[in-house]
Amino acid sequence: MRRKIIAGNWKMNKNAADAAALAQELAVQIRTNPHPKVDTVIAPAFPFLASCTQAISGVPGLHVAAQNCHWEKEGAFTGEVSVDMIASTGATHVIIGHSERRILFGENDEMIFNKLKAVLAAGLIPILCVGETLEQRRNHQQAIVVAEQLEKTICKLNYKQEEKIIIAYEPVWAIGTGMTASPEQAQEMHAVIRNTVSLKFGHAHSETQSILYGGSCNPSNAASLFACADVDGALIGGASLKSNDFIAIRNAMLNTL
Ligand code: PGA
């Protein structure tokens, strides 16, 4: 069975005290209700990776992710953070290729591929985001766009590298808009992703690939999304900033198991 993953992307929210407090609250709740098939991931801003890692230390299945990284090991890259720096905080996952990075900060598939390789080389787990814009969906290009994003990144890796990666389908039009993809839309695109992985790496391998949905996932719509055959969890922005909402989404996943 594929691993189920509930990941919270805190984006540029919370200060040092609030980030540590939220991590502590989640640690308490998850410690009392762990599940061997479910991983929970929180992605605070860079300055709080170490304190959040400390706050969740020893809680089974709870992990810390960075929201981004640079692909070079070290050097004159003002303002950037390397994967070794991230690993040294105790964080274990890195979100790569989020649409906000692609659109607001000009990241292209080549940069995202370099980041993927760096994250894997550091022994960390990438959460690779893919997804189409509203215009691309209106032009019925969503399957082509997402397959191409995968072909330029994970499909260039080998089997051993690819099996470590978590993929998140995040339609850009659904992120932070309240316009959640319908379960049918999510399932259709998750199947496209699984099929792309299957064509490159084989059917058996694709069946082990965890694919998360992201884009206005909340406690009210999580259960219907998680009921889809190819949806293995969620990458959650807004609703991950409050422990009750995030835990409610995690509980929706636990109820499917
Ligand atoms: P959202 O963000 O849940 O606030 O829509 C999701 C994401 O950007 O990962």
Side-chain angles (χ1 to χ4, degrees):
M1 194 181 143
R2 299 192 278 274
R3 286 202 74 70
K4 305 297 182 185
I5 298 156
I6 302 297
N9 176 8
W10 295 359
K11 306 192 181 183
M12 199 172 74
N13 292 293
K14 305 213 174 275
N15 61 22
D18 295 340
L22 179 54
Q24 265 153 24
E25 275 170 53
L26 294 172
V28 169
Q29 303 233 35
I30 291 167
R31 195 190 295 278
T32 57
N33 195 15
H35 195 292
K37 291 185 179 131
V38 179
D39 287 320
T40 309
V41 182
I42 53 172
F46 283 133
F48 315 133
L49 288 176
S51 62
C52 287
T53 301
Q54 238 167 28
I56 63 146
S57 160
V59 181
L62 182 53
H63 312 279
V64 171
Q67 299 171 16
N68 180 29
C69 67
H70 196 272
W71 56 86
E72 293 289 348
K73 273 194 103 50
E74 62 188 4
F77 301 100
T78 301
E80 293 294 326
V81 177
S82 75
V83 289
D84 288 346
M85 292 173 184
I86 292 167
S88 73
T89 69
T92 49
H93 294 58
V94 185
I95 298 172
I96 297 185
H98 190 281
S99 61
E100 285 151 18
R101 302 287 329 160
R102 292 180 192 254
I103 294 167
L104 303 175
F105 301 100
E107 288 190 12
N108 58 32
D109 288 317
E110 192 186 340
M111 294 156 85
I112 291 163
F113 180 57
N114 288 335
K115 291 181 185 208
L116 265 185
K117 285 190 293 184
V119 170
L120 289 166
L124 301 173
I125 300 170
I127 303 175
L128 172 69
C129 302
V130 294
E132 80 286 358
T133 63
L134 186 57
E135 196 191 347
Q136 289 165 335
R137 178 161 280 266
R138 284 197 175 127
N139 293 330
H140 309 288
Q141 292 171 323
Q142 61 269 25
I144 296 170
V145 167
V146 167
E148 192 178 309
Q149 287 170 340
L150 294 172
E151 265 145 33
K152 291 186 170 163
T153 53
I154 61 163
C155 292
K156 289 162 69 182
L157 296 170
N158 65 38
Y159 173 96
K160 280 273 155 226
Q161 292 170 308
E162 204 282 333
E163 70 179 359
K164 310 236 163 49
I165 297 173
I166 298 164
I167 300 174
Y169 169 60
E170 297 210 310
V172 179
W173 47 271
I175 295 177
T177 59
M179 279 169 45
T180 320
S182 68
E184 295 73 25
Q185 288 171 322
Q187 171 55 32
E188 188 185 19
M189 289 306 294
H190 282 232
V192 166
I193 292 169
R194 198 172 306 287
N195 190 44
T196 307
V197 173
S198 172
L199 287 173
K200 171 71 189 178
F201 297 101
H203 176 73
H205 179 93
S206 74
E207 282 301 311
T208 66
Q209 174 70 60
S210 293
I211 307 174
L212 317 185
Y213 168 79
S216 298
C217 178
N218 62 42
S220 333
N221 57 34
S224 61
L225 290 161
F226 297 160
C228 300
D230 287 299
V231 176
D232 305 307
L235 179 54
I236 304 140
S240 72
L241 297 173
K242 291 194 192 127
S243 64
N244 287 349
D245 285 351
F246 190 60
I247 291 293
I249 295 172
R250 182 174 178 274
N251 286 339
M253 174 54 76
L254 298 187
N255 289 338
T256 69
L257 300 172

